[in-house]
Amino acid sequence: MRKKSREIIAAVLFAAMVTGTFTGCKSSGSGSAGKAGTTLAQETVKEESTKAQAEETSDSGQTESGQAPAAADPKVTLNYAEQNSETSLMGMTARKFKEEVERLSGGSVEVQIYAGGVFGSEADVMDTMVSGGGTIDMSRIATQSLKDYTGIKVTNLLTVPYIFDSREHFWKTVETDLGDEILNECHEAGLGIRGLYFAEEGFRNFFFKNEVKDIADMKGKKIRSSADSTMVGTIEGLGAAPATVSFNELYSSLSSGVVDGAEQPIVNYQSNAFHEVAPYMILDGHTFGACMVVITDSAWEKLTPAQQEAVMEAGRLASEFNGENSQAVEDECMAKLREDGVTFVEVADLEPWREACAKIIGEVTAGMEDKVEQILELGK
């Protein structure tokens, strides 16, 4: 089913190139991001590390003397914003990062996790970080939240509807040089933040108060959408009406009928109890829940090289934890949701859905056909 959609994406791209639809400039690639396969944060660690901090460490992150390299460094506290609950997959991923960075830094770096949208919506968090507000040092964000910031292009490919066939396809993509380019892009765009590592929430699906069985049933439905133009364009392409509702107000908006439905990965749908007021989910998998954890440049720069190294290694371990557990967590969530009476509707043919989104796909991928082909090839 997803293989077929991928073929349609390729066909749309080819047609666009022939007709001249894609008029945007070609992406400059990863050349300006530094050495291939290395993020800016990793390069900084390598360049600034001193001989003393390059001392060989054991698997526990300690030097031969039994002390973590960063243990004697000045204490730093990083405020980490997470939109979802502490018990969600992303909440657990944040906890894994906290545990690892505190262990690897010998306690000199402390992470305070603020889960459940304490700092507002994801858009609010991004605005605070980009504006240099200083209250938030780190956050896990959906890559779609970067969509409309000036200078962001390659990152948007992760949000293209129906581009990924599976979780494995996503991880294969971000483990290439393209992934490094995406992590670097927000820093190079001058946003004052930099990507540390990737995470994911699985495919995003629409859910409703009343059952929706196919694309025809989407017509006219009021669907809560995030502010990014790709999601808005996807919902409009499917014949529905995007509605602006803050994430923290979504449950009540569904309950009161302000909106007919919304869209989330299965794990977030369950952890936020949306199934209590909208018990019908159609498994269209319109986009993949690609995420990355970002840190402000100001927070990064107050870390010593040894602390930066601890942060990067903790990020690698947290990303690995997320990738290894996401499918199992989703399967468990689906089982519980079925027990609670949720109706899941399978989509036998994604082609009509994919064709309905042709306009927004063309807009997002304009000028980056070569990178799209690279992603599609990785899924074969």
Side-chain angles (χ1 to χ4, degrees):
M1 180 169 66
R2 292 196 175 277
K3 290 285 186 182
K4 175 88 174 218
S5 294
R6 193 185 65 209
E7 292 169 0
I8 298 169
I9 291 175
V12 169
L13 289 170
F14 177 76
M17 286 186 284
V18 170
T19 59
T21 298
F22 294 110
T23 58
C25 295
K26 282 277 187 180
S27 171
S28 60
S30 59
S32 59
K35 187 175 0 180
T38 306
T39 67
L40 288 171
Q42 289 170 324
E43 285 188 339
T44 304
V45 170
K46 184 174 181 180
E47 292 170 359
E48 296 181 357
S49 290
T50 64
K51 292 181 180 180
Q53 289 158 336
E55 181 179 0
E56 182 177 354
T57 60
S58 67
D59 289 341
S60 65
Q62 297 178 332
T63 66
E64 291 178 341
S65 63
Q67 186 180 42
D73 290 343
K75 303 291 184 183
V76 176
T77 298
L78 299 175
N79 293 332
Y80 185 124
E82 171 51 53
Q83 186 69 28
N84 295 309
S85 68
E86 290 186 34
T87 58
S88 68
L89 174 62
M90 288 305 166
M92 291 187 287
T93 300
R95 173 63 59 176
K96 177 66 173 177
F97 174 80
K98 170 184 169 67
E99 292 172 351
E100 293 296 344
V101 77
E102 292 177 357
R103 174 181 68 84
L104 291 164
S105 70
S108 69
V109 178
E110 180 184 2
V111 177
Q112 292 286 347
I113 300 172
Y114 295 88
V118 171
F119 288 111
S121 68
E122 204 163 285
D124 293 333
V125 169
M126 276 296 301
D127 287 343
T128 297
M129 296 180 75
V130 169
S131 66
T135 54
I136 306 170
D137 300 305
M138 298 182 62
S139 182
R140 187 278 311 168
I141 60 169
T143 55
Q144 65 188 34
S145 296
L146 288 166
K147 170 70 172 63
D148 296 314
Y149 283 94
T150 302
I152 299 301
K153 290 189 64 179
V154 181
T155 303
N156 298 334
L157 295 179
L158 299 183
T159 71
V160 173
Y162 309 107
I163 196 169
F164 292 113
D165 293 330
S166 63
R167 278 187 161 90
E168 293 73 21
H169 187 187
F170 164 76
W171 284 109
K172 282 181 67 176
T173 298
V174 298
E175 287 167 1
T176 67
D177 291 351
L178 187 60
D180 296 324
E181 186 175 352
I182 290 169
L183 288 175
N184 292 338
E185 189 172 43
C186 52
H187 178 79
E188 293 189 341
L191 298 183
I193 58 176
R194 62 187 69 205
L196 293 177
Y197 64 92
F198 289 104
E200 52 97 345
E201 303 173 293
F203 287 101
R204 302 178 72 95
N205 304 286
F206 292 108
F207 56 91
F208 298 92
K209 292 172 62 66
N210 300 304
E211 189 168 13
V212 169
K213 295 182 178 180
D214 54 38
I215 191 171
D217 293 339
M218 297 282 289
K219 187 174 180 58
K221 291 288 190 295
K222 292 180 295 182
I223 300 176
R224 183 264 178 183
S225 172
S226 56
D228 83 279
S229 56
T230 299
M231 187 57 66
V232 170
T234 298
I235 292 171
E236 290 177 339
L238 294 171
T244 302
V245 173
S246 71
F247 189 81
N248 288 343
E249 295 176 352
L250 180 53
Y251 185 99
S252 61
S253 295
L254 285 164
S255 179
S256 63
V258 171
V259 292
D260 300 308
E263 58 85 45
Q264 285 288 308
I266 291 170
V267 291
N268 291 348
Y269 172 66
Q270 195 266 346
S271 66
N272 289 284
F274 293 137
H275 61 288
E276 295 176 353
V277 289
Y280 299 95
M281 175 173 278
I282 186 162
L283 300 174
D284 72 302
H286 47 279
T287 57
F288 193 73
C291 303
M292 63 181 179
V293 172
V294 297
I295 185 170
T296 63
D297 287 345
S298 58
W300 177 257
E301 289 162 2
K302 70 184 178 183
L303 300 173
T304 68
Q307 288 173 331
Q308 291 173 351
E309 188 170 4
V311 166
M312 293 304 299
E313 177 61 11
R316 184 188 68 79
L317 294 171
S319 183
E320 186 176 86
F321 169 87
N322 175 269
E324 290 176 348
N325 289 280
S326 57
Q327 185 64 60
V329 170
E330 182 176 290
D331 291 343
E332 182 179 355
C333 285
M334 286 192 73
K336 290 180 179 178
L337 288 166
R338 285 194 171 97
E339 290 178 1
D340 290 341
V342 171
T343 298
F344 290 101
V345 177
E346 297 281 351
V347 178
D349 182 10
L350 283 174
E351 183 172 353
W353 300 72
R354 176 62 194 80
E355 291 177 343
C357 297
K359 181 177 182 291
I360 189 62
I361 289 174
E363 293 174 358
V364 176
T365 59
M368 296 184 287
E369 296 83 357
D370 55 337
K371 296 184 186 300
V372 174
E373 289 298 333
Q374 180 183 346
I375 294 174
L376 298 180
E377 283 295 318
L378 289 168
K380 292 182 179 178

